[in-house]
Amino acid sequence: MAATLTWVLPAGDYNRRHDDATGRDVVEAGTYHRVPSAPVGAFSAVVAVPRGFVEAADVIGVVLFVGAAWIVIDRVGTLSRLVGALVVAFNGRGLVAVPLVSLFFAAMGALENMQEEIIPLVPALLLLGRGLGLDPVAVVAMTTGAAAVGSAFGPSNPFQAGIAMKLAQLPPGSNASIRWTVCAAAVGLWIAWTMRRSVAARIAPVTGSEGGSTASPRDGLILLLAVLPIAAYVYGSAALGWGFNELSAGFVVAGCAAGLLGGLGASGTTRAYLEGMQAMMPAAVLVGVARSLSLVLADGHVIDTILNGLAAPLSETSAVTAAILMIPVHALIHVGVPSVSGQAVLTMPIMVPLSDLLGVSRQAAVLAYQTGAGLTELLTPTNGGLMAVLFAAGVPFHVWIRFAIVGTLLALVAGLAGLVVSIHI
């Protein structure tokens, strides 16, 4: 389908320049021009698949290396014993875990745009879900779903709100009260919808504990080894410019240490780690395939054509109408540009001057981008992280969509309210 669009739509590009504030190449408003047609043929479209793997190499590495480490931790029995301890601690009140876990992942989304990092955690999260009586849809909702909502509206997210506000030349802390209110409302509505699903689809709790064994201090130490790389990554991504490679490296160390501490020995740890990577391979493959879709659209030079075709009619509408219509425009663009930071540098240089022309505040333009692009993360099949999580959790895409569409609409209400309030700020 992506390749077909390159034959149907005219090819066109915006000029681009390097932006020192964000360190990225951004488009220049008013420079859209036609370029020679570059339709993508059948073979070139297939070639885009291995190219997608190369482009997504760091994400694929995270899935394999981090996921394998968690499987090593499971292999030594730590996860099943810890889940058993949690089930005993909640004492039949497993639903209490839903808002707690959701708030944690929403906070991680708001802090560092957590998404792909969840993929390798899915086996452990499913184990926890079964112990608490939660079905896989609820598990995905309180982790990936909550993280996506937190990422979308979190003012502290450096890869979404941070880049967009820099491009709009807005101070990082500006409009903070409205932004945090919108974030809290959207996350709260998503959690409420997740709770409703959790209650309606409650299953009998099943733990993986064998023989009634309980968690030991050694299990606590192994869990600490697994948490340390995540904590280091949160700090490193904000202060040291760390990326997925550093996260992968941290879990290589953590996985090996956990295997040795758990008594697997050097050869047993190596074997378990390799088997863990094998188990995560299908999810890793989906990440690379999803990335190939945006490569095809870029090869055919139709992404800028889509942006220009969607943005141009907004200049003919009123300020309020244009501000609201920016949301579906960003949503449609995000299907072809599944990177929220990539979409920011593509669209904000167009939308910000347009908002100035129409008398719409730049705060509203940024909120429209966050709402449209951020919430589409929950729905688009070009989001490799979402598709890999669904695959690993065994949740069919159509089943997820039936659940997520309502939660997305609820969060959209919060975004719309914040947008309307911000139009003339």
Side-chain angles (χ1 to χ4, degrees), residues 45-61 63 116 119 281-296 382-385 387-388:
V46 177
V47 170
V49 175
R51 287 175 56 212
F53 278 67
V54 175
E55 290 285 331
D58 55 346
V59 180
I60 292 173
V63 175
E116 286 87 354
I119 302 169
M281 185 62 72
V285 167
L286 274 182
V287 173
V289 173
R291 185 65 62 90
S292 69
L293 299 177
S294 57
L295 285 179
V296 168
T382 58
N383 180 354
M387 298 304 290

Short mmCIF file of all heavy atoms in Angstrom, two decimals, residues 45-61 63 116 119 281-296 382-385 387-388:
data_model
loop_
_atom_site.label_atom_id
_atom_site.label_comp_id
_atom_site.label_asym_id
_atom_site.label_seq_id
_atom_site.Cartn_x
_atom_site.Cartn_y
_atom_site.Cartn_z
N ALA A 45 10.36 -2.24 -3.09
CA ALA A 45 9.58 -2.29 -1.85
C ALA A 45 10.04 -3.44 -0.96
O ALA A 45 10.13 -3.30 0.27
CB ALA A 45 8.09 -2.43 -2.17
N VAL A 46 10.36 -4.58 -1.58
CA VAL A 46 10.85 -5.71 -0.79
C VAL A 46 12.24 -5.41 -0.23
O VAL A 46 12.55 -5.75 0.91
CB VAL A 46 10.88 -6.99 -1.66
CG1 VAL A 46 11.48 -8.15 -0.87
CG2 VAL A 46 9.48 -7.35 -2.12
N VAL A 47 13.07 -4.73 -1.04
CA VAL A 47 14.40 -4.35 -0.56
C VAL A 47 14.30 -3.43 0.65
O VAL A 47 15.18 -3.41 1.52
CB VAL A 47 15.21 -3.68 -1.70
CG1 VAL A 47 16.50 -3.07 -1.17
CG2 VAL A 47 15.52 -4.69 -2.79
N ALA A 48 13.22 -2.66 0.72
CA ALA A 48 13.04 -1.75 1.86
C ALA A 48 12.91 -2.50 3.18
O ALA A 48 13.17 -1.92 4.25
CB ALA A 48 11.80 -0.88 1.65
N VAL A 49 12.54 -3.78 3.13
CA VAL A 49 12.40 -4.55 4.37
C VAL A 49 13.76 -4.74 5.05
O VAL A 49 13.91 -4.38 6.22
CB VAL A 49 11.69 -5.89 4.10
CG1 VAL A 49 11.66 -6.74 5.38
CG2 VAL A 49 10.28 -5.65 3.60
N PRO A 50 14.78 -5.30 4.38
CA PRO A 50 16.08 -5.37 5.06
C PRO A 50 16.66 -3.99 5.37
O PRO A 50 17.36 -3.82 6.38
CB PRO A 50 16.97 -6.15 4.07
CG PRO A 50 16.28 -6.08 2.75
CD PRO A 50 14.82 -5.99 3.07
N ARG A 51 16.37 -3.00 4.53
CA ARG A 51 16.81 -1.64 4.87
C ARG A 51 16.16 -1.15 6.15
O ARG A 51 16.80 -0.45 6.95
CB ARG A 51 16.47 -0.68 3.72
CG ARG A 51 17.33 -0.83 2.48
CD ARG A 51 16.84 0.08 1.37
NE ARG A 51 16.79 1.46 1.81
CZ ARG A 51 15.90 2.36 1.38
NH1 ARG A 51 14.96 1.99 0.51
NH2 ARG A 51 15.94 3.59 1.82
N GLY A 52 14.91 -1.55 6.37
CA GLY A 52 14.23 -1.19 7.60
C GLY A 52 14.92 -1.79 8.82
O GLY A 52 14.99 -1.16 9.88
N PHE A 53 15.44 -2.99 8.66
CA PHE A 53 16.18 -3.61 9.76
C PHE A 53 17.45 -2.82 10.08
O PHE A 53 17.81 -2.65 11.25
CB PHE A 53 16.55 -5.05 9.39
CG PHE A 53 15.44 -6.03 9.60
CD1 PHE A 53 14.30 -5.98 8.82
CD2 PHE A 53 15.52 -6.99 10.57
CE1 PHE A 53 13.25 -6.86 9.00
CE2 PHE A 53 14.48 -7.89 10.77
CZ PHE A 53 13.34 -7.83 9.99
N VAL A 54 18.13 -2.34 9.05
CA VAL A 54 19.34 -1.55 9.28
C VAL A 54 18.99 -0.24 9.97
O VAL A 54 19.64 0.18 10.93
CB VAL A 54 20.06 -1.29 7.94
CG1 VAL A 54 21.25 -0.36 8.15
CG2 VAL A 54 20.52 -2.59 7.31
N GLU A 55 17.93 0.42 9.50
CA GLU A 55 17.51 1.69 10.09
C GLU A 55 17.08 1.53 11.54
O GLU A 55 17.28 2.42 12.37
CB GLU A 55 16.35 2.28 9.27
CG GLU A 55 16.73 2.78 7.89
CD GLU A 55 17.48 4.09 7.94
OE1 GLU A 55 17.25 4.88 8.87
OE2 GLU A 55 18.31 4.31 7.04
N ALA A 56 16.49 0.39 11.86
CA ALA A 56 15.97 0.16 13.21
C ALA A 56 16.91 -0.73 14.03
O ALA A 56 16.50 -1.34 15.01
CB ALA A 56 14.59 -0.48 13.14
N ALA A 57 18.19 -0.76 13.67
CA ALA A 57 19.13 -1.69 14.31
C ALA A 57 19.22 -1.49 15.81
O ALA A 57 19.27 -2.46 16.58
CB ALA A 57 20.51 -1.55 13.67
N ASP A 58 19.24 -0.22 16.25
CA ASP A 58 19.38 0.01 17.69
C ASP A 58 18.15 -0.46 18.46
O ASP A 58 18.25 -1.00 19.56
CB ASP A 58 19.68 1.48 17.98
CG ASP A 58 18.63 2.42 17.39
OD1 ASP A 58 17.84 1.98 16.54
OD2 ASP A 58 18.63 3.61 17.78
N VAL A 59 16.96 -0.28 17.85
CA VAL A 59 15.73 -0.74 18.51
C VAL A 59 15.68 -2.26 18.53
O VAL A 59 15.32 -2.88 19.55
CB VAL A 59 14.49 -0.18 17.80
CG1 VAL A 59 13.21 -0.65 18.50
CG2 VAL A 59 14.53 1.34 17.76
N ILE A 60 16.06 -2.88 17.43
CA ILE A 60 16.09 -4.34 17.37
C ILE A 60 17.07 -4.88 18.40
O ILE A 60 16.81 -5.89 19.06
CB ILE A 60 16.46 -4.81 15.95
CG1 ILE A 60 15.31 -4.47 14.98
CG2 ILE A 60 16.75 -6.30 15.92
CD1 ILE A 60 15.63 -4.73 13.52
N GLY A 61 18.20 -4.20 18.56
CA GLY A 61 19.16 -4.60 19.57
C GLY A 61 18.57 -4.57 20.97
O GLY A 61 18.80 -5.47 21.78
N VAL A 63 15.41 -4.92 21.79
CA VAL A 63 14.47 -6.03 21.93
C VAL A 63 15.21 -7.33 22.23
O VAL A 63 14.82 -8.10 23.13
CB VAL A 63 13.63 -6.17 20.65
CG1 VAL A 63 12.73 -7.41 20.73
CG2 VAL A 63 12.79 -4.93 20.42
N GLU A 116 9.62 1.43 22.94
CA GLU A 116 10.30 0.21 22.51
C GLU A 116 10.91 -0.54 23.69
O GLU A 116 11.05 -1.76 23.65
CB GLU A 116 11.39 0.54 21.49
CG GLU A 116 10.89 0.90 20.11
CD GLU A 116 10.58 2.39 19.99
OE1 GLU A 116 10.65 3.10 21.03
OE2 GLU A 116 10.27 2.85 18.87
N ILE A 119 8.99 -3.64 24.98
CA ILE A 119 8.87 -4.88 24.20
C ILE A 119 9.53 -6.06 24.93
O ILE A 119 8.90 -7.11 25.13
CB ILE A 119 9.46 -4.71 22.79
CG1 ILE A 119 8.76 -3.59 22.04
CG2 ILE A 119 9.35 -6.03 22.00
CD1 ILE A 119 9.44 -3.19 20.74
N MET A 281 12.97 -12.90 18.87
CA MET A 281 13.21 -12.60 17.45
C MET A 281 11.95 -12.19 16.69
O MET A 281 11.99 -11.24 15.89
CB MET A 281 13.87 -13.81 16.78
CG MET A 281 14.27 -13.55 15.32
SD MET A 281 15.49 -12.22 15.20
CE MET A 281 16.92 -13.04 15.87
N PRO A 282 10.80 -12.87 16.87
CA PRO A 282 9.60 -12.43 16.11
C PRO A 282 9.22 -10.97 16.38
O PRO A 282 8.86 -10.25 15.45
CB PRO A 282 8.51 -13.40 16.59
CG PRO A 282 9.25 -14.62 17.03
CD PRO A 282 10.52 -14.10 17.64
N ALA A 283 9.31 -10.55 17.63
CA ALA A 283 8.98 -9.16 17.94
C ALA A 283 10.00 -8.22 17.30
O ALA A 283 9.64 -7.14 16.80
CB ALA A 283 8.96 -8.95 19.46
N ALA A 284 11.27 -8.61 17.30
CA ALA A 284 12.31 -7.78 16.69
C ALA A 284 12.08 -7.64 15.19
O ALA A 284 12.30 -6.57 14.60
CB ALA A 284 13.69 -8.37 16.97
N VAL A 285 11.63 -8.73 14.56
CA VAL A 285 11.37 -8.69 13.11
C VAL A 285 10.28 -7.67 12.79
O VAL A 285 10.37 -6.92 11.81
CB VAL A 285 10.98 -10.10 12.61
CG1 VAL A 285 10.41 -10.04 11.19
CG2 VAL A 285 12.20 -11.02 12.64
N LEU A 286 9.24 -7.62 13.61
CA LEU A 286 8.14 -6.68 13.35
C LEU A 286 8.62 -5.23 13.41
O LEU A 286 8.12 -4.39 12.67
CB LEU A 286 7.02 -6.89 14.36
CG LEU A 286 5.98 -7.96 14.01
CD1 LEU A 286 4.91 -8.02 15.07
CD2 LEU A 286 5.35 -7.66 12.67
N VAL A 287 9.57 -4.93 14.28
CA VAL A 287 10.10 -3.57 14.36
C VAL A 287 10.75 -3.18 13.04
O VAL A 287 10.53 -2.09 12.52
CB VAL A 287 11.11 -3.46 15.52
CG1 VAL A 287 11.79 -2.10 15.51
CG2 VAL A 287 10.42 -3.68 16.86
N GLY A 288 11.57 -4.07 12.49
CA GLY A 288 12.23 -3.76 11.22
C GLY A 288 11.25 -3.64 10.07
O GLY A 288 11.38 -2.75 9.22
N VAL A 289 10.24 -4.51 10.02
CA VAL A 289 9.25 -4.46 8.94
C VAL A 289 8.46 -3.16 8.99
O VAL A 289 8.20 -2.52 7.97
CB VAL A 289 8.33 -5.69 9.01
CG1 VAL A 289 7.18 -5.55 8.00
CG2 VAL A 289 9.11 -6.96 8.73
N ALA A 290 8.06 -2.76 10.20
CA ALA A 290 7.29 -1.52 10.33
C ALA A 290 8.11 -0.31 9.87
O ALA A 290 7.58 0.60 9.24
CB ALA A 290 6.85 -1.33 11.78
N ARG A 291 9.41 -0.31 10.18
CA ARG A 291 10.25 0.81 9.76
C ARG A 291 10.34 0.89 8.23
O ARG A 291 10.49 1.98 7.66
CB ARG A 291 11.65 0.65 10.36
CG ARG A 291 12.60 1.81 10.09
CD ARG A 291 12.16 3.09 10.73
NE ARG A 291 12.11 2.97 12.18
CZ ARG A 291 13.16 3.24 12.97
NH1 ARG A 291 14.30 3.65 12.46
NH2 ARG A 291 13.03 3.11 14.28
N SER A 292 10.23 -0.23 7.55
CA SER A 292 10.35 -0.23 6.09
C SER A 292 9.23 0.54 5.42
O SER A 292 9.40 1.07 4.31
CB SER A 292 10.40 -1.66 5.56
OG SER A 292 9.14 -2.30 5.72
N LEU A 293 8.06 0.63 6.07
CA LEU A 293 6.94 1.35 5.47
C LEU A 293 7.26 2.83 5.29
O LEU A 293 6.99 3.41 4.23
CB LEU A 293 5.69 1.19 6.35
CG LEU A 293 5.19 -0.24 6.54
CD1 LEU A 293 3.99 -0.25 7.48
CD2 LEU A 293 4.82 -0.86 5.21
N SER A 294 7.83 3.46 6.31
CA SER A 294 8.17 4.87 6.19
C SER A 294 9.31 5.07 5.20
O SER A 294 9.38 6.11 4.53
CB SER A 294 8.54 5.46 7.55
OG SER A 294 9.61 4.75 8.15
N LEU A 295 10.19 4.09 5.07
CA LEU A 295 11.28 4.20 4.09
C LEU A 295 10.72 4.24 2.67
O LEU A 295 11.20 5.01 1.83
CB LEU A 295 12.24 3.01 4.23
CG LEU A 295 13.19 3.01 5.42
CD1 LEU A 295 14.05 1.75 5.41
CD2 LEU A 295 14.08 4.25 5.39
N VAL A 296 9.71 3.43 2.41
CA VAL A 296 9.11 3.42 1.07
C VAL A 296 8.49 4.77 0.75
O VAL A 296 8.68 5.31 -0.36
CB VAL A 296 8.05 2.29 0.98
CG1 VAL A 296 7.21 2.45 -0.28
CG2 VAL A 296 8.73 0.93 0.99
N THR A 382 1.87 1.14 11.71
CA THR A 382 3.25 1.48 11.37
C THR A 382 4.09 1.75 12.62
O THR A 382 5.29 2.01 12.50
CB THR A 382 3.30 2.71 10.45
OG1 THR A 382 2.66 3.83 11.09
CG2 THR A 382 2.62 2.43 9.13
N ASN A 383 3.49 1.70 13.80
CA ASN A 383 4.22 1.84 15.05
C ASN A 383 4.82 0.48 15.40
O ASN A 383 4.15 -0.40 15.93
CB ASN A 383 3.28 2.32 16.16
CG ASN A 383 3.99 2.48 17.50
OD1 ASN A 383 5.16 2.12 17.66
ND2 ASN A 383 3.29 3.01 18.47
N GLY A 384 6.10 0.30 15.08
CA GLY A 384 6.74 -0.99 15.29
C GLY A 384 6.74 -1.43 16.73
O GLY A 384 6.61 -2.62 17.03
N GLY A 385 6.91 -0.48 17.66
CA GLY A 385 6.90 -0.83 19.07
C GLY A 385 5.58 -1.42 19.51
O GLY A 385 5.52 -2.45 20.20
N MET A 387 3.23 -2.81 17.58
CA MET A 387 2.98 -4.09 16.92
C MET A 387 3.79 -5.22 17.55
O MET A 387 3.32 -6.34 17.71
CB MET A 387 3.30 -3.97 15.43
CG MET A 387 2.44 -2.94 14.69
SD MET A 387 0.66 -3.25 14.84
CE MET A 387 0.49 -4.74 13.86
N ALA A 388 5.04 -4.92 17.94
CA ALA A 388 5.88 -5.94 18.57
C ALA A 388 5.34 -6.33 19.94
O ALA A 388 5.36 -7.51 20.30
CB ALA A 388 7.32 -5.44 18.68
#
